[in-house]
Amino acid sequence: MGEAVPWLDDLIRVIPDYPSAGIVFRDITPLLGSPAAFGRAIDDLVARFHDVPVDRVVGIESRGFILAAPVAYRLRAGFVPVRKAGKLPWAVAREEYALEYGTDKLEIHRDAIHPDERVLIVDDVLATGGTAAATARLVETLGGQVVGLGFMLELADLGGRAKVGERRIESLTSF
Ligand code: AMP
């Protein structure tokens, strides 16, 4: 689990009742906009997985792309987008997952990951874990091995870790 990290926590803006009443939104744009902090956050995320070989880094639409792409570059791994349904132009695998109200769908290109490739999944926030768990299932459907999931921050009370199961999770900070 992530520990309190003052330099990071100070750059994550807390916005009550966004996008709807009762949601406390964690806005990472101040972190992204800080030259020193953005680089350090990427470096720290990469360092958390220094002990595992990674062939592909999966970013989850859309804030996950911002973080996963530089992580992939640093690891000299490929970058793979997981997108909301209907956005990817070629043959896809699809996973439906539960939201607080209703369901949503995520897709990945069928040729984006090959059997036995080692895959790191990256997103900004681990909340209830539904998005991350669906992404892990997509990777595993294609035969990939999820070596870990990396997040800037984790909302520990929402129980995302349990939903993600036994897979390894690293988050830089938690609230
Ligand atoms: P979940 O499936 O509940 O773990 O939600 C994770 C996804 O929703 C991530 O892609 C986050 O970007 C976004 N998200 C969920 N809750 C929040 C929150 N409180 N603040 C910012 N982003 C959130």
Side-chain angles (χ1 to χ4, degrees):
M1 182 164 303
E3 296 163 17
V5 187
W7 68 268
L8 184 58
D9 295 357
D10 291 347
L11 289 165
I12 295 170
R13 185 159 45 202
V14 177
I15 306 177
D17 297 322
Y18 180 89
S20 52
I23 305 285
V24 181
F25 192 82
R26 309 285 172 165
D27 172 25
I28 64 163
T29 61
L31 166 65
L32 299 176
S34 160
F38 182 41
R40 184 169 171 184
I42 297 300
D43 289 346
D44 284 5
L45 205 49
V46 168
R48 294 290 185 106
F49 293 98
H50 72 93
D51 57 326
V52 285
V54 174
D55 301 304
R56 313 258 180 190
V57 179
V58 166
I60 306 175
E61 182 172 0
S62 60
R63 288 184 295 276
F65 294 170
I66 299 164
L67 305 171
V71 168
Y73 174 77
R74 277 283 317 272
L75 294 172
R76 290 295 188 269
F79 170 78
V80 174
V82 159
R83 301 205 64 182
K84 301 280 169 58
K87 301 277 192 180
L88 288 170
W90 195 68
V92 296
R94 178 181 302 164
E95 271 287 334
E96 193 159 332
Y97 62 103
L99 297 171
E100 204 170 353
Y101 300 102
T103 62
D104 212 343
K105 298 182 193 77
L106 287 173
E107 294 180 344
I108 192 169
H109 272 152
R110 288 205 154 274
D111 63 352
I113 287 164
H114 302 118
D116 299 326
E117 280 183 337
R118 294 157 297 197
V119 179
L120 174 60
I121 295 169
V122 172
D123 202 1
D124 62 337
V125 175
L126 176 64
T128 67
T131 307
T135 301
R137 290 196 300 274
L138 281 176
V139 169
E140 289 162 358
T141 295
L142 298 182
Q145 181 197 343
V146 177
V147 296
L149 298 96
F151 302 91
M152 282 297 113
L153 70 119
E154 172 177 353
L155 302 174
D157 292 347
L158 297 183
R161 278 184 182 253
K163 185 126 357 124
V164 172
E166 296 302 302
R167 303 171 186 101
R168 174 176 172 183
I169 296 172
E170 300 281 349
S171 49
L172 295 188
T173 191
S174 77
F175 293 99

